[in-house]
Amino acid sequence: PAAAKAGGRDAGSGAPISDPEELKDLDGQVARFEKERIKAALRLSADNQSEAARMLGIRRDPLRFRMKNHKLL
């Protein structure tokens, strides 16, 4: 369904999904997506966590929790 909405492509990378095995690691794909977005927000905010949290639409404490989970803190 999500791939169908993206024209049969992996919405994260834009690459066509040709192997059903690629769909099995959803948790890993979501984690990589989240980590990249956090890193981008931190880069754009010059590592200001409060500003990065605002960019991501979350509060600072949940951002710090996620940063710890992704070993970014």
Side-chain angles (χ1 to χ4, degrees), residues 34-60:
E34 180 177 77
K35 183 176 183 177
E36 290 305 312
R37 292 304 180 266
I38 291 170
K39 287 169 56 176
L42 289 167
R43 185 178 61 252
L44 290 170
S45 69
D47 289 324
N48 182 313
Q49 293 175 10
S50 295
E51 181 62 26
R54 275 191 287 279
M55 289 179 186
L56 294 166
I58 61 176
R59 292 180 34 238
R60 183 179 165 272

Side-chain angles (χ1 to χ4, degrees), residues 1 4 8 17-18 20-21 23-30 38-41 43 56 59 62 64-65 68-69:
I17 297 173
S18 58
E21 291 295 315
L23 300 175
K24 289 187 176 180
D25 185 31
L26 181 61
D27 288 337
Q29 292 174 8
V30 169
I38 291 170
K39 287 169 56 176
R43 185 178 61 252
L56 294 166
R59 292 180 34 238
R64 289 181 55 82
F65 176 80
K68 286 179 185 178
N69 284 345

